[in-house]
């Protein structure tokens, strides 16, 4: 009861593991309004720690781990369900991210999700739309350390969201090496940024929005610089950006850059940020970019709050449920068959894992909903096509980690078990796979049926399948498939699955 009360009305926490900074925000939703409780930030520069081979260096990893350990102390007393930690572009790119994430989760004491660029964009818009509501069509821009997100939306609804692989850290490292600020460096940086943004020229054309907002660190820092120097009132304009770029060129080096309001944690990446902002202003004809209230971290908390309230809010619900419905429609999934498999699989999983948490049940349910996604590609080996699509498709609300878990479940729905052997080492996942495979077998004829017949009784890592008396003689093909299934698990050795005589 205390946990449920904390989830519905107590504080929630978001950790944004960005390429430049790690941020911890603790907030609370009260009567539809957001209230910040606490905010911590460390300039980790994780994005500067990717080497030429795409590997995260140990010094960068240590900076990140030290920051997460500090955050963990502040989060003592928070339940796992009250916290959501998300990682962005640097960990989307890092080839050794899984090794770092294992250490990072141990330091934080909470799960960490790597989210896609479009999911990052969706959450950024959620934060801005909630803290700065407006019904005007708007363009929201968030310049991070290694990516830039652009979102169009009206009110609370984002209509177009995209992530471009260019950020203030990556551009500063490439075109302003050792802190040197040159006219040629800015020119080349703007060309490189323009090449990335060019494919978005039509999608984010000026005719589609009436106001432009800049979210998060770069836009906020540049706005403060312009206001402190009395160049503008804080509005980011092409004229103001040209003035700042000229100050950088005149200084010649970041160490000599003397501007009121320039914070030390922003100094090393300001040139890359300015180059991106000027490129955006020129390409998308942005006359005035206003600093926004709200960013990724607030969007994460608002999304977490919506997830908690989804069962009681039929109109809004969980965005992941909506994503599943849209995927079913896009890939022409046989929804009736998916629902039959879902009903049976969840009933079996509750027998196999009666203590399973809500997240495990929901992920299994989504796997059932989408287990035939790949049928549109090919009936042959459709489970492999389904798993591939689930691993790579944009699905708002889902992290990359969660999509991979669901994809592994879908991959394991039929055939040999060796292809998911590593994942089966997790006992909870193994029982999810058992439930899904048995449900697919019972429903293989694809016809309507009045309740499922299979029962399972688990004892430790063993489970016995039982069927009603007389049922076997009426369903010889299903019985054959169940016998084959028991044999498959016997060969694998992870779970002892037997069919009662």
């Amino acid at each position: 009861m205390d946990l449920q009360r904390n989830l519905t009305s107590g504080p929630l926490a978001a950790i944004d593991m960005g390429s430049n900074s790690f941020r911890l925000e603790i907030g609370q939703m009260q009567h539809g309004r957001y209230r910040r409780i606490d905010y911590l930030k460390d300039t980790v520069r994780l994005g500067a720690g990717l080497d030429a081979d795409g590997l995260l260096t140990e010094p960068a990893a240590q900076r990140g781990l030290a920051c997460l350990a500090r955050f963990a102390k502040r989060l003592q007393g928070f339940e796992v369900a009250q916290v959501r930690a998300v990682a962005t572009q640097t960990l989307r790119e890092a080839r050794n991210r899984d090794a770092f994430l294992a250490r990072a989760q141990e330091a934080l004491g909470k799960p960490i999700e790597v989210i896609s660029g479009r999911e990052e964009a969706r959450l950024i818009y959620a934060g801005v739309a909630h803290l700065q509501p407006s019904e005007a069509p708007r363009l929201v821009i968030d310049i991070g350390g290694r990516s830039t997100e652009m979102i169009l939306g009206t009110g609370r609804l984002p209509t177009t969201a995209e992530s471009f692989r260019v950020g203030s850290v990556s551009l500063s490292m490439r075109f302003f090496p050792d802190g040197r600020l040159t006219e040629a460096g800015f020119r080349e940086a703007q060309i490189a940024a323009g090449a990335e943004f060019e494919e978005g020229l039509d999608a984010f054309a000026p005719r589609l929005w009436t106001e432009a907002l800049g979210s998060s660190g770069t836009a906020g820092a540049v706005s403060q610089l312009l206001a402190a120097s009395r160049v503008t009132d804080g509005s980011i304009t092409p004229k103001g950006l040209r003035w700042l770029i000229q100050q950088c060129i005149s200084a010649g080096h970041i160490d000599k850059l003397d501007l009121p309001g320039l914070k030390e944690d922003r100094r090393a990446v300001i040139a890359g940020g300015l180059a991106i902002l000027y490129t955006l202003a020129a390409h998308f004809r942005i006359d005035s970019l206003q600093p926004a209230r709200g960013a990724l971290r607030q969007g994460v908390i608002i999304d977490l709050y919506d997830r908690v309230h989804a069962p009681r809010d039929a109109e809004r619900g969980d965005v992941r449920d909506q994503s599943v419905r849209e995927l079913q429609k896009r890939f022409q999934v046989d929804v009736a068959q998916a629902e039959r498999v879902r009903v049976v699989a969840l009933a079996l999983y509750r027998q196999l894992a009666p203590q399973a948490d809500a997240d495990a049940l929901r992920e299994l349910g989504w796997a059932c909903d989408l287990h035939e996604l790949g049928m549109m590609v090919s009936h042959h080996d459709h489970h492999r096509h389904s798993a591939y699509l689930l691993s790579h498709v944009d699905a708002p609300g889902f992290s990359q980690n969660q999509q991979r878990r669901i994809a592994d479940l879908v991959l394991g729905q039929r055939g040999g078990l060796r292809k998911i052997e590593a994942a089966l080492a997790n006992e909870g996942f193994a029982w999810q796979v058992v439930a899904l495979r048995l449900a697919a077998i019972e429903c293989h004829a694809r016809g309507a049926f009045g309740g499922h017949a299979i029962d399972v009784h688990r004892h430790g890592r063993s489970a016995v399948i039982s069927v009603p008396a007389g049922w076997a003689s009426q369903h010889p093909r299903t019985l054959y498939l169940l016998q084959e299934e028991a044999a498959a698990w016997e060969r694998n050795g992870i779970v002892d699955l037997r069919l009662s005589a």
Side-chain angles (χ1 to χ4, degrees):
M1 183 65 71
D2 288 340
L3 174 58
Q4 187 59 34
R5 185 162 52 246
N6 283 340
L7 289 175
T8 54
S9 61
L12 301 172
I15 295 169
D16 168 10
M17 295 169 57
S19 298
N20 192 49
S21 302
F22 283 13
R23 294 175 168 90
L24 165 63
E25 175 110 0
I26 299 175
Q28 191 171 21
M29 295 292 292
Q30 294 180 324
H31 308 294
R33 298 179 65 85
Y34 179 81
R35 181 175 73 90
R36 174 187 279 182
I37 296 173
D38 202 359
Y39 174 60
L40 301 176
K41 173 188 170 184
D42 271 357
T43 304
V44 174
R45 300 216 194 287
L46 199 70
L50 277 184
D51 66 19
D53 296 320
L55 297 173
L56 191 64
T57 63
E58 185 58 24
Q62 287 296 334
R63 293 194 299 271
L65 295 174
C67 174
L68 293 174
R70 177 188 172 211
F71 287 176
K73 292 180 180 179
R74 178 61 184 86
L75 291 172
Q76 286 180 358
F78 277 70
E79 300 287 345
V80 169
Q82 291 176 266
V83 180
R84 188 178 180 200
V86 299
T88 56
Q89 185 62 37
T90 295
L91 291 179
R92 289 196 286 267
E93 292 184 44
R95 291 171 51 207
N96 57 342
R97 75 174 187 183
D98 290 342
F100 172 74
L101 285 172
R103 299 164 69 191
Q105 289 179 151
E106 184 177 356
L108 182 62
K110 303 286 190 294
I112 298 171
E113 307 171 43
V114 179
I115 56 175
S116 70
R118 285 180 176 170
E119 176 65 2
E120 181 180 356
R122 184 188 74 83
L123 292 170
I124 289 165
Y125 187 85
V128 172
H130 198 95
L131 271 70
Q132 196 167 337
S134 170
E135 292 304 315
R138 61 193 355 183
L139 169 66
V140 175
I141 295 169
D142 188 299
I143 301 171
R146 295 188 74 91
S147 69
T148 295
E149 281 65 49
M150 298 180 68
I151 314 100
L152 289 178
T154 302
R156 296 284 182 87
L157 180 66
T159 54
T160 304
E162 194 54 82
S163 180
F164 300 90
R165 292 181 61 174
V166 58
S168 60
V169 171
S170 55
L171 219 59
S172 296
M173 290 174 62
R174 182 176 177 187
F175 295 103
F176 306 100
D178 302 319
R180 297 192 303 274
L181 305 175
T182 65
E183 184 175 354
F186 275 102
R187 184 170 57 251
E188 291 169 5
Q190 289 166 32
I191 291 171
E196 290 291 333
F197 294 129
E198 199 164 28
E199 64 184 68
L201 288 176
D202 187 61
F204 299 96
R207 69 180 184 277
L208 301 175
W209 48 270
T210 59
E211 63 178 15
L213 301 174
S215 170
S216 203
T218 296
V222 171
S223 172
Q224 290 170 10
L225 289 176
L226 292 170
S229 296
R230 301 184 184 278
V231 177
T232 73
D233 60 357
S235 301
I236 301 170
T237 64
K239 181 180 178 180
L241 290 168
R242 285 193 294 270
W243 182 85
L244 281 173
I245 289 171
Q246 188 55 53
Q247 300 308 301
C248 291
I249 294 170
S250 298
H253 195 277
I254 58 172
D255 292 342
K256 296 181 180 180
L257 189 59
D258 184 18
L259 289 171
L262 178 60
K263 297 178 181 178
E264 284 305 310
D265 67 342
R266 188 57 54 177
R267 181 180 294 274
V269 298
I270 192 65
L274 287 171
I276 292 171
L277 279 169
Y278 191 75
T279 303
L280 288 166
H283 279 55
F284 298 94
R285 302 201 296 278
I286 302 172
D287 295 327
S288 178
L289 184 73
Q290 300 298 321
R293 295 190 298 274
L296 173 61
R297 57 192 182 276
Q298 289 93 358
V300 170
I301 288 178
I302 290 159
D303 194 63
L304 184 56
Y305 179 84
D306 287 344
R307 288 184 182 186
V308 171
H309 285 75
R312 297 186 294 173
D313 188 348
E315 183 177 345
R316 293 184 67 185
D318 188 326
V319 68
R320 293 172 294 181
D321 293 322
Q322 181 180 343
S323 291
V324 168
R325 289 192 293 270
E326 289 175 352
L327 287 172
Q328 286 181 321
K329 183 177 180 180
R330 188 196 313 178
F331 291 98
Q332 301 176 20
V333 169
D334 182 342
V335 177
Q337 174 68 2
E339 180 61 21
R340 286 189 287 269
V341 172
R342 167 188 265 269
V343 168
V344 176
L346 290 179
L348 292 172
Y349 188 56
R350 288 188 178 97
Q351 292 179 327
L352 291 164
Q355 303 302 317
D357 60 31
D359 285 342
L361 287 164
R362 298 202 75 184
E363 287 183 3
L364 176 58
W366 288 321
C368 295
D369 293 336
L370 301 172
H371 76 287
E372 292 188 337
L373 203 70
M375 283 282 195
M376 189 179 183
V377 179
S378 171
H379 281 236
H380 178 67
D381 278 351
H382 72 81
H383 59 300
R384 295 183 185 274
H385 301 304
S386 299
Y388 179 85
L389 289 170
L390 280 168
S391 293
H392 295 88
V393 73
D394 284 317
F398 288 97
S399 67
Q400 291 183 343
N401 316 51
Q402 192 168 50
Q403 282 185 236
R404 282 201 302 270
R405 287 196 300 272
I406 296 171
D408 284 343
L409 274 174
V410 167
L411 182 61
Q413 69 181 276
R414 59 186 292 190
L417 295 164
R418 293 185 65 180
K419 57 185 179 286
I420 56 167
E421 200 162 31
L424 288 173
N426 181 306
E427 189 173 346
F429 176 83
W431 293 120
Q432 286 177 310
V433 173
V434 170
L436 176 56
R437 289 170 69 96
L438 292 179
I441 288 171
E442 183 166 356
C443 302
H444 77 280
R446 311 187 75 84
F449 61 96
H452 75 95
I454 296 174
D455 280 316
V456 286
H457 305 278
R458 176 186 162 192
H459 305 281
R461 295 187 71 87
S462 300
V464 177
I465 305 168
S466 61
V467 296
W471 180 91
S473 60
Q474 297 173 17
H475 301 85
R477 289 178 292 276
T478 305
L479 180 64
Y480 168 77
L481 292 174
L482 290 175
Q483 292 168 337
E484 291 291 295
E485 181 67 10
W489 285 99
E490 184 179 8
R491 288 192 297 271
N492 176 268
I494 296 287
V495 167
D496 178 19
L497 187 66
R498 290 175 286 120
L499 187 62
S500 65

